[in-house]
Amino acid sequence: MVRRSFAALLAQDCLLCGAESAASLLCAACQEDLPRLPDTRCPCCALPTPRGEVCGQCLARPPHYDSTVAAFRYSFPIDKLVQSFKYGHRLALGGYFGRQLAAIADGGLGADLIVPLPLHPVRLRERGFNQALELARPLSRAWRIPIDARSCRRIRHTAAQADLPWRERARNVRGAFDCASDFTGKRLLLIDDVMTTGSSLDELARTVKLHGAAEVMLLVVARALPN
């Protein structure tokens, strides 16, 4: 009786369709319909490849990170949920997305530390929170892997990546990060919400590898695919 009463208090409507979803933000049907990436993907950047081989782009210009795991394809309605999380301050979505990431990343992929992509202080004041840190919290609890949100800082306040053409994004974030720690021999798991070109994550990976990181893995909620 007490359990049923407690469940009734937690009951809510699905964010997408409005149907009853018990204690979850999404009902089972909407959760099942969320856009997924193809099963065969480049292990480095998570873009689709015919047989799951490393893609031509990663072969021609290897990124500084070593692997990428993404929960969803960045398209409707994931794009709207991510935007609601970041700009609509629906922080509960951070916990929801974090649980989705925990389910696909197999115990934290052997990482020693979780490093959320840092925001510049100006952007942090504007937004009020770092969405990557909110994603990292449930992962740290699930895997008992510590979060390092202090060693890396964003030192250049650049134009928003979403406002720039894809070709200009790498140049926009060059030298954007600083690192104050020695990561020699450490396996780092970098966390962010959306990976489009991967330029910001690649620049942070470059920075931490200059400070000794042995392996850098990316874990993102959604991967955008080229048109």
Side-chain angles (χ1 to χ4, degrees), residues 25-73:
L25 294 180
L26 302 184
C27 68
C30 285
Q31 171 70 27
E32 185 66 25
D33 285 342
L34 291 177
R36 309 285 174 171
L37 290 163
D39 291 336
T40 55
R41 304 188 293 273
C42 171
C44 188
C45 72
L47 288 179
T49 54
R51 293 174 295 278
E53 71 275 19
V54 176
C55 71
Q57 183 173 328
C58 289
L59 286 172
R61 299 185 62 183
H64 296 93
Y65 52 83
D66 299 283
S67 61
T68 301
V69 175
F72 302 105
R73 187 175 77 248

Side-chain angles (χ1 to χ4, degrees), residues 138-156:
L139 299 177
S140 178
R141 289 193 296 268
W143 299 328
R144 299 183 181 179
I145 298 174
I147 297 171
D148 186 340
R150 295 181 179 273
S151 293
C152 298
R153 299 181 302 131
R154 189 153 189 158
I155 57 175
R156 287 185 54 227

Side-chain angles (χ1 to χ4, degrees), residues 69 101-114 139-140 142-145 187-191 217 219:
V69 175
L101 292 175
I104 65 168
D106 193 19
L109 306 175
D112 299 304
L113 291 170
I114 297 172
L139 299 177
S140 178
W143 299 328
R144 299 183 181 179
I145 298 174
R187 303 182 74 208
L188 305 185
L189 184 62
L190 308 189
I191 305 291
M217 301 163 286
L219 182 60

Side-chain angles (χ1 to χ4, degrees), residues 52-165:
E53 71 275 19
V54 176
C55 71
Q57 183 173 328
C58 289
L59 286 172
R61 299 185 62 183
H64 296 93
Y65 52 83
D66 299 283
S67 61
T68 301
V69 175
F72 302 105
R73 187 175 77 248
Y74 191 61
S75 59
F76 182 82
I78 284 292
D79 54 354
K80 302 304 180 187
L81 291 175
V82 168
Q83 290 161 20
S84 182
F85 169 45
K86 288 172 66 172
Y87 308 119
H89 289 77
R90 282 188 174 267
L91 294 184
L93 280 164
Y96 171 78
F97 285 139
R99 290 189 293 274
Q100 304 308 305
L101 292 175
I104 65 168
D106 193 19
L109 306 175
D112 299 304
L113 291 170
I114 297 172
V115 179
L117 189 79
L119 291 178
H120 189 274
V122 172
R123 190 64 49 79
L124 183 59
R125 285 195 298 270
E126 292 173 351
R127 188 168 299 162
F129 68 101
N130 181 350
Q131 73 276 3
L133 179 56
E134 296 304 314
L135 294 170
R137 294 187 200 279
L139 299 177
S140 178
R141 289 193 296 268
W143 299 328
R144 299 183 181 179
I145 298 174
I147 297 171
D148 186 340
R150 295 181 179 273
S151 293
C152 298
R153 299 181 302 131
R154 189 153 189 158
I155 57 175
R156 287 185 54 227
H157 182 42
T158 59
Q161 291 287 83
D163 296 335
L164 297 174

